[in-house]
Amino acid sequence: MLALLKQKSYRDRTLQTLFVGGLAVMLVIFVMTARTNLEAQGMTSGFDFLERATGWGVSFSLIDFSTSDSYLKVIWVGLLNSLFLGVISMSFATIIGIAIGIMRVSGNKMAELIGTIYVEVFRNLPLLLQAFFWYAILTTLPKPRDAYDIGGIAFLSGRGVYLPGLNVSGLSVFLSAIGLVIAFAVWLNLTTSRRFAKMMPKEKTARARSIWLAWGFAACVVMAMGRIPDTPLLNLPYLKGLNFREGIRVSPELLTCIVAISIYGGAYIGEIVRAGFNAVSNGQKEAGFALGLTPWQIFTRIRLPLAIRAVMPMLINQYVWLFKATTIGIAVGFVDFFMVISTSINQSGQTLELIAILMGGFLCINYTMAFALNRVNDAIKLKGTQARG
Amino acid sequence: MTNSQSAVRISDMDKYYGTFHALKGINLDIAKGEKIVICGPSGSGKSTLIRCINRLEEHQVGSINVLGTELDDNLDNIDEIRRETGMVFQHFNLFPHMTVLENCILAPMLVRKQERHLAERDAMELLTKVKIPEQAEKYPGQLSGGQQQRVAIARALCMKPAIMLFDEPTSALDPEMISEVLDVMVGLAHEGMTMICVTHEMGFARQVADRVIFMDGGEVIEQAPPDQFFDNPQHERTQAFLGQILGH
Amino acid sequence: MAQTYSGPGVFKRIRDDYFSTRLNTVVTLGFAAFVIWVVWSLFGWGIQQAIWSPADKDHCGHGSGGACWAVIAARWRLIFFGLFPFEEQWRSGIACAAIVLTGGLSCVPWFWSARRLSALWIIGFAVFYCLMRGGFFGLTLVSEQNWGGLSLTIFIFASVTLIGMPLAIVFALLRQSRLPWIARTMGVVIDTIRSLPLLSILFTFAIVIPFVLPGWMIGDKLYRVIVGYALFFACYQAEIIRGGIQSLPAGQDEAAMALGMSYWNRISYIILPQAFRNALPATINQLVITFKETSLVVIIGFFEILASGNAAYGNAEWNFAHVEVYCFVGLIYFTFVFALSRYGAYLERRMAVVER
């Protein structure tokens, strides 16, 4: 036996079997224990409960939901809410991040100072603390009657923020958003795919323009079709009695999550953007000056494109990470995926199944996001192995 | 036990990287005390060959026997062979987080279970031999390339190996530093060390080699004593190669 | 005659940095106005019109327009020590100081070897634990349920790091294993845990583990959450260590192999010391994130500093003072995190110089 263990191939095989086997045995023990424990408590395992009506409602939903709808549907609601929150916060975080990043490399010492303070303050405080802070601020805003009035079309109050909306159906908004994603994908393919490499730049621009025009036209048509009859196109909020009517109400919970995640994520993205600009060597800038380009041309045509390519992998990680941060919704009571699962566990007791759904959901979303963003990265990254920033 | 006179005996050895056939039917018998120089164009498999001798690469077919120990699946044999062979690399591979002296005494202490003061005494002796005892307390990053390579030789010698393998020891050096490393190697050769060197230093080959081996495409094309090899190469690929490196 | 050039003068430098072009001037003035406005309002709110003494608390929140720092003066013990018995809170204070001292000492290069560093932390942690828990030498026993505030935050952070770091090394080595099945399985485990939010891991360990483990292995909820967090930390840290290992030239391991060194000798003398050095900035960054995210245990129902902050203004007496309390708690977090991240930045610069 000992002599056998000295044989490298035999030892390798034994070690691998032991490791994988050990993990498998552990899993089996978990499952067996879980089964006995559940039987002792007289609970049935399985996913049948997903068909049952929940009997409880949610405070925010993008689709119609009532207490008689099933667990499956409430989970779907939570997932959509999480995605909704994720997309909005990530967009704002990106805008803030790019602004802060540019401020920090602008060369103007005053702008650099403000950018640095922003990053140091918001990056060094826990996201949850920031969320609690904003929640406390937003819920103690004045009552609707004394709300802050922004130009007569939007209002800030302790009950939430009221924004003007469009009187169109949710479906058409959703279709337009899908259209935007498709248009972006086609445009990305056009600008980066090798198939169109030989096309004249002028024709390429023309085609790109027609893609966007087509999307704009299609969106207008879809919106017009989805218009709710007998209402003005613009839907303005107004005060009636003790509360606002019409418009879009953004609840303090949702707003807290958006504000906290955007500000926090913006600080991180700002650092990444700055690192990207620093990764672009001075030689590139000097080459631009030597060719007689203006500072603005150098910025938009040389530094920005190279910086984006340099930081794309870091940005991908950051986005995946930011999406996971949406789970702080539960801390302030925003109905996100995690909160829906946690409430369902309390209400139905189907702990293991729901945890499995939670993990499965996050795995799917993260891998999909990483996959899509990695395709973007592959499409825009510098070609060849000799390329150096 | 095979012929006690051979240090390394390789028979019908083949090496594959996946489907790529890197070494083809190598047969080589190196006697104790013999000095071998292996040369050939890049990608010819010469580095792979000497890396197979101490199992940095695994061969698939045939056998390698080092000092009577068969290089096979047995981990004890691999350990035994690595203890008895020292290796010097193209890029020195000194451990940058340790001083020169620590580099030298680490393996004797861990592998040979030598006591620290004995290991240090031996290491200082060898560092004197490679003419840099005064650098013992410095870190590798503070030394020049030539000095680093001499430390690497001393480090390998600290294990008191019977065979020394040199994998292009001068290729990464600036021209003015090559001779200081070659001097050390020549000195080592005169002491009777068994040496297998992959190198393009033809002057060194002429001076110390007992045999020069020319490899191309994973095969041994020609082997001969240096005079015959350089003055009267038999194979046309050898002639072409020598023409390229000596002609200019 | 030799003339030395002493660099541009102060005025020239200011002009270059702030007013080099017309656009720059506008930007500078705009931002400067903004900064002055912010600083002025903060000064007015936080200092000039602020109320400091609990005795004046009646003026708070009634149009004085200033911060009510009286809440901190009245409730700081709750924020720092949570529900720890009042007359024993000095123990909690000393325990925190011991850990902070341990952290400070581990920044001293003399401690930078695996043996010294682990000895230091084990001693520091033991002092912390004994002081907090008591039950000997006449110290009354205070069980973990009564720990809270800053001391609980520090306890969670320190135990997560202490358990997580060795685990991370094991994970990294398994993932880097030459044996494909071990490396692949470990890869799947690490990637799966990394793609889950920390909150869901903590949640799972708090409520699912009691279902799937035999009774004697379940343990206290606090320790389950710590183990879960440590596992999460280990997966992230393992990838950082793996990055450090991969950034080493292959020649390092080969040279050690050629010298006849065994696997464990190669790992502990050649690979890990260098890998850790390479991974130091990323490791400190990970520690920063880990410290910040200890706040998430609030959601699982633990009374750490954020929760004790919530409690500090969570009664009728102080319910208006949330901004002040969050500022104070934020300041505590900021002190720890900022110190750690500045230290990380310093190390990064120092290493960049050494490599040159």
Side-chain angles (χ1 to χ4, degrees):
Chain A
M1 190 65 199
L2 266 178
L4 261 182
L5 276 181
K6 286 289 176 196
Q7 294 296 313
K8 190 159 151 285
S9 51
Y10 181 81
R11 188 154 90 169
D12 289 358
R13 238 174 294 144
T14 319
L15 282 176
Q16 302 198 60
T17 322
L18 279 179
F19 182 76
V20 179
L23 280 183
V25 166
M26 236 162 75
L27 267 181
V28 170
I29 291 180
F30 286 172
V31 172
M32 304 266 280
T33 325
R35 188 168 290 176
T36 7
N37 283 345
L38 287 177
E39 269 169 18
Q41 294 180 10
M43 277 167 46
T44 50
S45 53
F47 289 91
D48 298 340
F49 74 98
L50 287 176
E51 306 294 327
R52 290 211 307 264
T54 55
W56 43 274
V58 293
S59 59
F60 177 81
S61 171
L62 293 171
I63 53 179
D64 289 332
F65 184 80
S66 72
T67 53
S68 58
D69 280 324
S70 67
Y71 273 99
L72 192 60
K73 189 158 180 193
V74 84
I75 290 170
W76 177 236
V77 166
L79 200 57
L80 281 181
N81 286 356
S82 273
L83 288 172
F84 178 70
L85 171 62
V87 169
I88 294 184
S89 333
M90 282 182 221
S91 319
F92 281 123
T94 310
I95 295 168
I96 296 176
I98 291 177
I100 293 291
I102 290 176
M103 273 164 79
R104 295 197 72 184
V105 295
S106 64
N108 180 310
K109 283 280 165 10
M110 191 58 86
E112 283 173 22
L113 178 75
I114 293 180
T116 310
I117 292 176
Y118 177 92
V119 169
E120 291 299 344
V121 168
F122 290 108
R123 221 168 54 134
N124 286 332
L125 292 175
L127 175 59
L128 192 61
L129 174 76
Q130 296 188 35
F132 278 150
F133 177 81
W134 294 119
Y135 190 60
I137 297 258
L138 288 173
T139 45
T140 49
L141 284 174
K143 294 200 170 61
R145 228 178 329 165
D146 311 316
Y148 296 116
D149 183 340
I150 303 172
I153 52 170
F155 301 91
L156 259 83
S157 79
R159 292 247 190 109
V161 172
Y162 293 83
L163 299 172
L166 290 172
N167 270 323
V168 292
S169 71
L171 179 69
S172 49
V173 175
F174 180 69
L175 284 178
S176 318
I178 295 276
L180 183 64
V181 173
I182 294 173
F184 181 73
V186 174
W187 173 77
L188 203 65
N189 187 30
L190 174 76
T191 46
T192 59
S193 169
R194 198 172 293 164
R195 193 151 24 119
F196 302 102
K198 290 211 178 97
M199 197 184 270
M200 295 296 285
K202 226 177 190 172
E203 195 186 345
K204 232 180 188 177
T205 331
R207 281 215 189 176
R209 195 183 300 139
S210 57
I211 290 172
W212 294 116
L213 278 177
W215 171 73
F217 181 69
C220 286
V221 169
V222 171
M223 293 273 190
M225 282 182 359
R227 195 150 157 215
I228 297 159
D230 306 326
T231 52
L233 179 65
L234 209 58
N235 181 359
L236 291 178
Y238 59 90
L239 188 66
K240 186 160 187 204
L242 289 175
N243 213 342
F244 284 97
R245 299 286 168 84
E246 302 291 330
I248 298 173
R249 171 174 177 260
V250 183
S251 68
E253 290 80 26
L254 174 58
L255 196 59
T256 298
C257 292
I258 293 176
V259 170
I261 298 174
S262 312
I263 288 183
Y264 189 66
Y268 273 93
I269 292 177
E271 270 303 89
I272 293 176
V273 171
R274 183 177 78 117
F277 280 112
N278 288 343
V280 179
S281 73
N282 251 347
Q284 304 286 342
K285 201 164 90 181
E286 283 160 9
F289 277 122
L291 288 170
L293 302 182
T294 64
W296 175 250
Q297 284 170 328
I298 289 174
F299 182 78
T300 53
R301 297 300 171 92
I302 297 175
R303 293 180 71 196
L304 190 62
L306 283 174
I308 290 176
R309 285 176 171 85
V311 297
M312 201 57 201
M314 272 198 279
L315 267 183
I316 293 174
N317 283 338
Q318 194 59 43
Y319 283 129
V320 171
W321 188 83
L322 269 183
F323 183 75
K324 287 191 281 178
T326 59
T327 47
I328 58 142
I330 193 174
V332 294
F334 175 70
V335 195
D336 71 338
F337 186 43
F338 184 68
M339 182 166 171
V340 161
I341 295 283
S342 139
T343 318
S344 302
I345 287 178
N346 281 336
Q347 298 289 329
S348 74
Q350 305 282 350
T351 314
L352 296 180
E353 295 82 356
L354 283 160
I355 289 284
I357 292 175
L358 176 73
M359 298 197 162
F362 270 106
L363 283 181
C364 283
I365 294 170
N366 281 335
Y367 280 120
T368 318
M369 252 171 79
F371 178 81
L373 289 168
N374 279 324
R375 290 290 83 72
V376 175
N377 186 31
D378 288 346
I380 65 170
K381 76 176 173 205
L382 299 175
K383 305 292 185 290
T385 54
Q386 303 299 310
R388 293 275 181 276
Chain B
M1 286 293 120
T2 49
N3 180 359
S4 63
Q5 288 308 303
S6 24
V8 179
R9 166 172 290 186
I10 301 174
S11 27
D12 299 323
M13 190 263 274
D14 286 68
K15 157 89 193 149
Y16 297 83
Y17 288 110
T19 55
F20 176 66
H21 201 165
L23 293 176
K24 298 167 190 161
I26 306 288
N27 279 298
L28 207 56
D29 198 342
I30 298 167
K32 279 183 184 159
E34 199 177 5
K35 289 113 189 81
I36 303 284
V37 165
I38 305 175
C39 60
S42 66
S44 59
K46 47 194 196 304
S47 282
T48 312
L49 175 60
I50 74 164
R51 286 160 62 89
C52 279
I53 295 175
N54 65 353
R55 238 330 146 81
L56 290 184
E57 306 283 353
E58 195 177 337
H59 64 278
Q60 278 81 25
V61 184
S63 79
I64 299 178
N65 188 302
V66 183
L67 298 165
T69 310
E70 191 66 28
L71 186 58
D72 55 16
D73 214 24
N74 191 321
L75 292 162
D76 283 347
N77 289 355
I78 297 175
D79 288 346
E80 172 71 25
I81 287 170
R82 284 184 182 161
R83 272 199 295 275
E84 297 304 326
T85 53
M87 188 165 198
V88 176
F89 298 85
Q90 181 180 2
H91 294 288
F92 332 135
N93 297 348
L94 293 176
F95 307 131
H97 59 303
M98 298 177 178
T99 64
V100 165
L101 189 62
E102 284 168 343
N103 262 283
C104 292
I105 64 173
L106 183 70
M109 282 171 61
L110 293 175
V111 182
R112 292 234 186 259
K113 312 284 180 212
Q114 222 172 356
E115 280 180 50
R116 178 177 274 268
H117 68 276
L118 294 177
E120 278 181 359
R121 197 194 60 204
D122 290 356
M124 285 312 294
E125 246 168 51
L126 286 163
L127 285 174
T128 315
K129 194 154 118 188
V130 299
K131 303 186 190 73
I132 36 173
E134 72 283 1
Q135 312 284 6
E137 296 305 323
K138 286 197 181 166
Y139 284 89
Q142 299 167 304
L143 304 184
S144 73
Q147 289 173 325
Q148 289 195 44
Q149 193 61 297
R150 284 184 283 153
V151 172
I153 295 174
R155 177 178 72 176
L157 290 175
C158 278
M159 284 293 287
K160 305 194 175 61
I163 303 170
M164 282 290 283
L165 308 172
F166 291 87
D167 187 3
E168 307 208 24
T170 54
S171 308
L173 295 176
D174 292 335
E176 74 271 20
M177 294 174 183
I178 291 178
S179 68
E180 62 189 62
V181 171
L182 288 181
D183 286 347
V184 171
M185 289 170 67
V186 170
L188 202 57
H190 289 324
E191 286 171 21
M193 173 69 78
T194 311
M195 291 166 69
I196 306 171
C197 313
V198 172
T199 182
H200 291 149
E201 296 298 329
M202 292 307 147
F204 172 79
R206 253 186 213 280
Q207 194 184 343
V208 304
D210 297 318
R211 207 167 6 142
V212 181
I213 293 174
F214 175 72
M215 289 184 69
D216 194 11
E219 287 171 294
V220 173
I221 304 293
E222 183 168 352
Q223 42 181 320
D227 295 341
Q228 193 187 329
F229 181 84
F230 289 112
D231 301 334
N232 190 13
Q234 300 297 309
H235 205 282
E236 60 186 67
R237 274 196 270 180
T238 319
Q239 291 161 1
F241 176 73
L242 286 176
Q244 273 169 355
I245 65 165
L246 297 176
H248 306 291
Chain C
M1 214 176 78
Q3 227 175 6
T4 50
Y5 178 65
S6 59
V10 177
F11 285 108
K12 165 118 175 61
R13 225 167 35 224
I14 289 179
R15 208 181 61 198
D16 280 356
D17 288 347
Y18 296 95
F19 306 104
S20 58
T21 63
R22 203 173 299 161
L23 176 71
N24 244 340
T25 309
V26 172
V27 169
T28 303
L29 292 179
F31 278 132
F34 175 72
V35 168
I36 290 168
W37 176 72
V38 169
V39 168
W40 181 249
S41 345
L42 278 181
F43 174 76
W45 175 79
I47 296 173
Q48 198 187 26
Q49 289 156 4
I51 288 160
W52 300 86
S53 156
D56 304 332
K57 123 178 194 309
D58 292 341
H59 301 290
C60 279
H62 301 296
S64 78
C68 181
W69 300 119
V71 65
I72 307 300
R75 313 280 282 185
W76 66 273
R77 279 189 158 221
L78 177 66
I79 296 177
F80 273 116
F81 305 124
L83 300 176
F84 210 78
F86 191 82
E87 56 285 357
E88 302 287 337
Q89 284 178 358
W90 58 273
R91 276 160 54 186
S92 186
I94 297 180
C96 288
I99 289 284
V100 172
L101 181 71
T102 310
L105 282 181
S106 35
C107 297
V108 178
W110 187 80
F111 281 102
W112 290 356
S113 75
R115 207 170 301 158
R116 284 177 194 158
L117 208 55
S118 26
L120 176 70
W121 272 94
I122 288 168
I123 292 172
F125 191 75
V127 168
F128 177 89
Y129 188 80
C130 294
L131 270 174
M132 287 295 284
R133 195 171 154 86
F136 61 94
F137 292 148
L139 296 177
T140 38
L141 184 84
V142 182
S143 72
E144 283 86 346
Q145 278 84 6
N146 291 325
W147 297 9
L150 182 61
S151 11
L152 185 61
T153 298
I154 286 183
F155 176 68
I156 293 175
F157 173 67
S159 12
V160 163
T161 321
L162 279 181
I163 304 172
M165 201 52 101
L167 207 56
I169 295 174
V170 173
F171 283 7
L173 292 180
L174 287 174
R175 183 154 198 187
Q176 279 294 82
S177 167
R178 186 175 48 76
L179 308 173
W181 278 99
I182 293 184
R184 232 173 282 162
T185 318
M186 203 62 231
V188 170
V189 172
I190 290 180
D191 286 346
T192 308
I193 293 183
R194 273 164 53 95
S195 61
L196 295 171
L198 173 59
L199 201 47
S200 71
I201 302 271
L202 298 181
F203 195 68
T204 307
F205 271 77
I207 68 163
V208 179
I209 289 296
F211 279 102
V212 300
L213 279 185
W216 54 272
M217 279 182 76
I218 293 177
D220 188 64
K221 186 175 164 195
L222 175 64
Y223 291 110
R224 288 206 305 273
V225 167
I226 287 176
V227 168
Y229 198 173
L231 190 67
F232 183 81
F233 171 79
C235 288
Y236 273 84
Q237 182 60 27
E239 287 295 280
I240 291 172
I241 297 176
R242 186 168 78 113
I245 295 178
Q246 280 177 336
S247 69
L248 296 181
Q252 289 291 312
D253 200 29
E254 284 177 358
M257 265 197 252
L259 286 168
M261 290 169 67
S262 69
Y263 176 78
W264 292 111
N265 279 339
R266 286 187 333 253
I267 292 296
S268 48
Y269 289 94
I270 308 299
I271 304 297
L272 281 183
Q274 295 191 61
F276 259 100
R277 220 161 277 215
N278 290 342
L280 204 51
T283 304
I284 292 199
N285 190 30
Q286 189 59 39
L287 290 177
V288 165
I289 292 174
T290 305
F291 187 79
K292 280 190 294 178
E293 295 200 333
T294 52
S295 55
L296 289 177
V297 299
V298 177
I299 297 172
I300 315 291
F302 289 102
F303 205 73
E304 52 70 85
I305 189 162
L306 197 46
S308 62
N310 282 341
Y313 78 87
N315 61 0
E317 198 182 355
W318 296 108
N319 61 5
F320 54 85
H322 46 81
V323 174
E324 289 84 348
V325 169
Y326 285 134
C327 284
F328 184 66
V329 174
L331 192 68
I332 296 172
Y333 271 113
F334 188 84
T335 314
F336 280 93
V337 172
F338 189 70
L340 201 52
S341 62
R342 282 297 90 190
Y343 177 65
Y346 157 76
L347 279 183
E348 207 163 343
R349 273 199 309 277
R350 196 184 116 131
M351 283 165 61
V353 172
V354 168
E355 265 160 35
R356 227 175 276 149

